[in-house]
Amino acid sequence: LRPSGWRPYPWHGRRHVNTLKKRWEFQRAYRRGRKVWDGLYVVYVLPTPDTVVTDDGSSRYGLTASRKVGDAVRRNRAKRLAREALRVCEADLPAGLDIVVVVRARAPHATYEATVQSITGLLRRAEVLPERGAATAMGSSMSPAHAGRGDTAR
């Protein structure tokens, strides 16, 4: 017998809870959202409307890749990498955002590290992800390795 609430995988049944699904949701982000881009991805960020309620109040995500990117294998690989990069920085993102990531043609050839760097950099440029040094500037203690350096902002 299985315990109540048992799932074969932790994400089973909840994988697509906070995703954008409808065409009009993507269109609204394209028209009204803040747009930032680099060589790998284009990111649109828009506050989630008050009428939309997510399960835990977190942000919603949508990923798109046109056929210009390549065949289905390449498109899906680029979207998987972007989805994982969003998952990595999800804890630092504020709640209540609609984020649309559009895959560009060079994205399927990028490494995981390049993808994470690209997505986090774009979210910082869109001013929804705190800067790297923001935690130190907000009063958290500095590590002993950096204590003697003069490279901190004052």
Side-chain angles (χ1 to χ4, degrees):
L1 294 172
R2 295 180 180 144
S4 78
W6 179 86
R7 294 187 192 131
Y9 303 101
W11 61 86
H12 184 71
R14 297 184 305 156
R15 183 174 173 197
H16 298 288
V17 171
N18 293 330
T19 57
L20 301 174
K21 297 174 187 77
K22 303 291 184 183
R23 183 177 188 271
W24 64 267
E25 293 173 324
F26 284 87
Q27 291 295 323
R28 187 185 64 223
Y30 296 147
R31 287 191 197 110
R32 298 183 195 159
R34 177 163 184 178
K35 176 183 177 181
V36 290
W37 66 92
D38 66 5
L40 300 176
Y41 296 96
V42 180
V43 173
Y44 295 86
V45 179
L46 181 72
T48 303
D50 295 335
T51 56
V52 176
V53 178
T54 58
D55 288 348
D56 53 356
S58 62
S59 295
R60 301 187 308 161
Y61 309 100
L63 291 107
T64 63
S66 73
R67 284 188 289 181
K68 292 181 203 175
V69 174
D71 60 358
V73 173
R74 292 178 194 269
R75 292 193 307 267
N76 289 334
R77 178 181 191 279
K79 289 194 294 185
R80 271 195 316 273
L81 286 170
R83 195 175 296 117
E84 178 62 17
L86 285 169
R87 190 194 64 77
V88 165
C89 62
E90 187 174 29
D92 297 330
L93 287 172
L97 294 174
D98 284 353
I99 299 171
V100 175
V101 177
V102 180
V103 176
R104 298 183 85 179
R106 288 179 30 205
H109 307 290
T111 63
Y112 169 74
E113 291 80 14
T115 300
V116 170
Q117 185 177 10
S118 173
I119 296 288
T120 55
L122 290 171
L123 291 172
R124 283 190 183 99
R125 281 180 37 208
E127 299 175 354
V128 295
L129 194 64
E131 291 294 326
R132 287 185 191 125
T136 340
M138 289 183 195
S140 67
S141 63
M142 192 184 300
S143 69
H146 295 101
R149 290 189 184 168
D151 59 355
T152 58
R154 296 179 193 211

